[in-house]
Amino acid sequence: MAESVDREANRALRARFDEVHGQYRQLRSGLDELRSRLAELRVTARSDDGQVTVVAGARGDVVSVELTPAALQARDARALSGKITSTVHRATAAAVAATQDLVAGYLPAGSGAMEFLRTGDFDTLLGRADAVMRGGERPT
């Protein structure tokens, strides 16, 4: 009887290992493609009047800022500064959202890593890992 239980437990463990290993292989195989797509990601935002254009990369880094000649003719430095700042904020926020959407396609659904990308909350990420280590939930 004990031998039968051990065999069943071993089969279940092996099946779970195969499942997790398959997820790992799938994630790993897509990593190079993800890196390439992130390196190429560019998001463009324009001010409401079209005088300021900002391009941001995957990390929300500003790649370029372009001003039309009309933006400089107003000679209102404070207004132009505000326009540039708000356009940069829109571009970087859109780039972060685009990055999250792109990465989501490469992570298992419901993964702690995906939740971390959305919230930036290390406590949730580590708390979930702690629960998995204690056997409180299965990793995905």
Side-chain angles (χ1 to χ4, degrees), residues 4-18:
S4 173
V5 171
D6 286 344
R7 280 192 202 127
E8 282 302 312
N10 285 340
R11 279 191 200 110
L13 285 172
R14 180 66 185 178
R16 180 65 184 139
F17 172 81
D18 289 344

Side-chain angles (χ1 to χ4, degrees), residues 22-40 98-111 113-114 117 140:
Q23 289 174 348
Y24 168 77
R25 279 194 323 252
Q26 181 180 4
L27 181 63
R28 186 71 185 126
S29 69
L31 196 54
D32 290 336
E33 178 185 358
L34 176 59
R35 281 187 187 131
S36 175
R37 291 182 70 188
L38 286 171
E40 295 169 1
T99 298
Q100 289 171 344
D101 290 344
L102 181 60
V103 172
Y106 291 86
L107 293 176
S111 73
M114 193 59 229
L117 280 175
T140 55

Side-chain angles (χ1 to χ4, degrees), residues 3 18 31 55 60 66 75-76 90 103 108 131 133-134 137:
E3 192 173 308
D18 289 344
L31 196 54
V55 177
E66 294 180 14
R75 297 184 190 239
D76 184 350
R90 283 202 321 267
V103 172
M133 294 303 289
R134 286 191 304 270
E137 80 180 72

Side-chain angles (χ1 to χ4, degrees), residues 59-96:
R59 294 183 194 160
D61 51 319
V62 176
V63 175
S64 68
V65 176
E66 294 180 14
L67 307 175
T68 64
L72 301 174
Q73 289 174 355
R75 297 184 190 239
D76 184 350
R78 185 173 296 210
L80 180 56
S81 175
K83 198 181 300 187
I84 292 170
T85 301
S86 65
T87 307
V88 165
H89 285 293
R90 283 202 321 267
T92 58
V96 168

Side-chain angles (χ1 to χ4, degrees), residues 121-135:
D121 182 3
F122 274 115
D123 291 337
T124 300
L125 180 64
L126 296 176
R128 188 166 190 278
D130 290 344
V132 168
M133 294 303 289
R134 286 191 304 270

